[in-house]
Structures are given as C-alpha cells and as structure tokens.
Amino acid sequence: MNRLIHHIVLMLIAIGLAIPTAQSEALPGEQLYDIACEACHSLGSAPDHRVGPPLGNLLDRKAAAVEGYRYSEALRASEWSWTLATLLAWLSDPDTAIPNNAMNYVNALTAEESQRLAEWLLRQP
C-alpha cells in the first residue's frame, strides 16, 4: 500500500511540475489574433463580410481610413493614427480610448498578451 501511495505522489508531483511549464508558454500574436480579433476582423486591407474593418496595413494608418467601411462618428472624428501606444489604449478599453465608438469589445487578454497582439498586428501587411 505504501508503494502505491508513493507512486501516486510521484505521479502527482510530475504532473504538477509539467503544468506550469505548459501554462507559462506565451501564445504568439497570430494565436492571440485568432482568439481576440478574427471573429470580427480580417487581416486584408479591403472591407469584407465581417463586422469590423480589416486590420492589415495598420501601422500609422489613420483611424477610420478604410474606404467602404462604415465607421462610427466618434472614430472618424478621433484623428487617431494606429501606433503601438494608440492600439494598446484601444485594446485595453475602446470606450475609454474613444468614447461612443461602435466597437463592442471587452479585452480578456493580459497586458503582456495585448502587447504581443498589438506588436503582431502592426507588422501585418
């Protein structure tokens, strides 16, 4: 019986040691995009059937600049350009960043994940 308990304890320790390693692996930007953005946004540069505008060629693009997409008045009037700082503010809380915008989004990502996502998005053509 003691031998069985010993083996169970060793197995639980081994499992416990493996879990933090698996959990601590950071998701890459592409997977974060798949989780947080893909349902509403494409990565192209032309509007498509999705709810939100495409997110390709985002770096230094003026907010509300994609022709053929209907933006909120708040976003059109914002005079924002997409940089790392503005994108992080937007991802953190769109309603605080630009009040009365039309994006219905609650960020469930950590600050580190938001940073990786924003950096990845800004590199997409």
Side-chain angles (χ1 to χ4, degrees):
M1 184 69 154
N2 283 344
R3 179 172 269 173
L4 177 61
I5 293 172
H6 178 72
H7 286 295
I8 291 171
V9 168
L10 287 177
M11 192 168 50
L12 291 173
I13 290 171
I15 291 170
L17 292 176
I19 290 172
T21 302
Q23 289 178 342
S24 65
E25 289 183 27
L27 292 175
E30 184 174 10
Q31 283 183 315
L32 294 169
Y33 163 80
D34 290 345
I35 292 166
C37 310
E38 184 181 36
C40 297
H41 298 275
S42 68
L43 284 175
S45 55
D48 58 12
H49 66 281
R50 306 225 183 155
V51 173
L55 301 178
N57 296 308
L58 201 56
L59 182 60
D60 295 325
R61 183 173 84 197
K62 184 171 173 12
V66 173
E67 292 295 323
Y69 183 79
R70 247 180 105 169
Y71 292 95
S72 66
E73 179 59 37
L75 198 58
R76 284 195 312 268
S78 72
E79 298 186 18
W80 274 34
S81 289
W82 297 115
T83 64
L84 184 57
T86 57
L87 187 53
L88 285 172
W90 180 261
L91 289 173
S92 174
D93 186 352
D95 290 326
T96 298
I98 301 174
N100 301 315
N101 74 77
M103 185 161 153
N104 186 12
Y105 175 73
V106 175
N107 187 350
L109 303 177
T110 65
E112 182 183 315
E113 290 169 332
S114 293
Q115 177 85 23
R116 273 197 315 281
L117 173 60
E119 289 171 352
W120 184 84
L121 281 171
L122 293 172
R123 290 191 308 268
Q124 301 313 299

